[in-house]
Amino acid sequence: MAHQETMTSKKVSFTKEMRLATRDIHNVSDALVNAKLAFALYDSAVWAEGLLIFYEIFKYLEENVSHDFLPEEYHRTQQFEEDLNFYLGDNWKVKYQPRKEVCDYLKHLEEIKRENPNLLVAYVYHLYMGLLSGGQILQKRRNISKRFNPFAGNGSGKGASLTTFEGNSIYDLKQKMKKTIDQFGDSLDEGTRKQMIEESRKVFEMNNEVIKTVKGVNRANVKSLFYILILIGFYIILKQIIFK
């Protein structure tokens, strides 16, 4: 009985509390990403669109959040730019203008910074943990899809800087992030913790709005279907030859 009471009263970590509070909208976000990118992962134009919508957001956080919460080993601004240079060319910034949804996102982050900078930590946690988790999965799926794309490049590995953390273990980075945020959460008063939870949901709401703006998905889906049909055709022909 005493053991049961101890287990029941055991304090939930702050990061777990945030994950539980955002589970439903996080699932919506995952579904949106899959709907947008399921057939478009191989398509470099669509991939570049995905990079472009989050470039300014990560850059803002890295320029405005203390290194106590966002050390250099997590920073991705340079890696975003390397990948965008690869996909869009070195002069992509010349005509680049962040879309309205991205500007709205940045405006919201700026408001948070003025009112309570602590709330920016919610964005750090969800965005960087997303990159260290879902971002890794997307990159692996993209690498696999390239193998089956007859028109893919030579697979040199270029264009994948964002998801490559040289000299750092993905597992260690995730554990360090969780520990930092948990310790931070323990230092907060109940009112600020509640605000952090509410802002955690806002992270996914705003992510969803910018993800909806990704262009070229329909074109990419048609091309993907075309490649799949080619592979099926090759399989049928090969099967007929073998069993003729």
Side-chain angles (χ1 to χ4, degrees):
M1 185 70 175
H3 176 70
Q4 184 178 358
E5 289 176 357
T6 302
M7 292 294 291
T8 304
S9 61
K10 185 178 180 181
K11 186 177 180 181
V12 174
S13 70
F14 188 49
T15 53
K16 185 172 183 179
E17 189 178 347
M18 287 197 291
R19 290 198 304 275
L20 291 173
T22 58
R23 180 180 292 170
D24 58 335
I25 193 165
H26 194 165
N27 290 338
V28 171
S29 207
D30 287 345
L32 181 60
V33 169
N34 288 330
K36 278 279 185 179
L37 303 178
F39 286 103
L41 284 171
Y42 80 92
D43 189 284
S44 293
V46 176
W47 189 255
E49 274 277 305
L51 296 175
L52 206 56
I53 60 173
F54 283 106
Y55 163 65
E56 296 284 357
I57 297 161
F58 277 78
K59 181 180 178 182
Y60 180 90
L61 292 173
E62 289 167 13
E63 291 177 348
N64 291 277
V65 174
S66 166
H67 283 199
D68 292 339
F69 302 108
L70 196 52
E72 288 284 350
E73 60 262 35
Y74 293 94
H75 285 202
R76 298 284 94 190
T77 299
Q78 180 182 336
Q79 287 75 15
F80 263 107
E81 293 178 352
E82 287 175 2
D83 286 352
L84 287 167
N85 286 345
F86 177 77
Y87 292 116
L88 303 179
D90 294 339
N91 297 320
W92 65 272
K93 285 187 179 181
V94 175
K95 295 183 179 180
Y96 167 66
Q97 289 290 334
R99 57 202 69 182
K100 177 185 179 300
E101 291 78 4
V102 173
C103 291
D104 289 343
Y105 203 135
L106 295 173
K107 182 180 178 181
H108 181 68
L109 294 180
E110 189 62 31
E111 290 172 353
I112 290 174
K113 181 185 174 185
R114 288 197 303 268
E115 295 172 8
N116 187 351
N118 284 335
L119 299 182
L120 289 175
V121 175
Y123 290 82
V124 170
Y125 175 70
H126 292 294
L127 287 171
Y128 285 83
M129 288 298 286
L131 184 59
L132 291 165
S133 298
Q136 297 296 315
I137 294 171
L138 285 175
Q139 184 63 64
K140 289 176 181 177
R141 286 170 59 186
R142 179 168 161 76
N143 292 340
I144 291 172
S145 68
K146 281 183 176 182
R147 298 176 190 173
F148 297 98
N149 180 356
F151 303 103
N154 57 17
S156 62
K158 292 183 178 179
S161 295
L162 180 63
T163 51
T164 303
F165 291 78
E166 294 289 351
N168 291 287
S169 157
I170 298 298
Y171 175 81
D172 289 344
L173 287 173
K174 289 167 71 174
Q175 293 304 307
K176 181 178 178 180
M177 175 72 73
K178 288 179 182 178
K179 182 179 180 181
T180 299
I181 304 303
D182 282 337
Q183 290 176 342
F184 175 64
D186 289 341
S187 71
L188 298 174
D189 61 80
E190 195 58 37
T192 305
R193 282 173 66 95
K194 184 177 179 181
Q195 283 183 293
M196 284 280 287
I197 297 298
E198 292 173 353
E199 204 61 42
S200 289
R201 294 185 62 82
K202 189 70 174 178
V203 175
F204 291 101
E205 290 174 7
M206 303 204 75
N207 285 354
N208 292 348
E209 289 304 308
V210 295
I211 291 170
K212 289 175 185 177
T213 70
V214 172
K215 302 173 185 176
V217 174
N218 290 338
R219 180 203 68 245
N221 288 349
V222 170
K223 289 171 69 177
S224 288
L225 182 60
F226 175 67
Y227 296 150
I228 290 170
L229 290 174
I230 289 177
L231 289 172
I232 292 173
F234 283 151
Y235 172 77
I236 292 173
I237 292 172
L238 187 61
K239 187 175 179 181
Q240 287 177 339
I241 293 173
I242 294 174
F243 296 101
K244 187 173 181 181

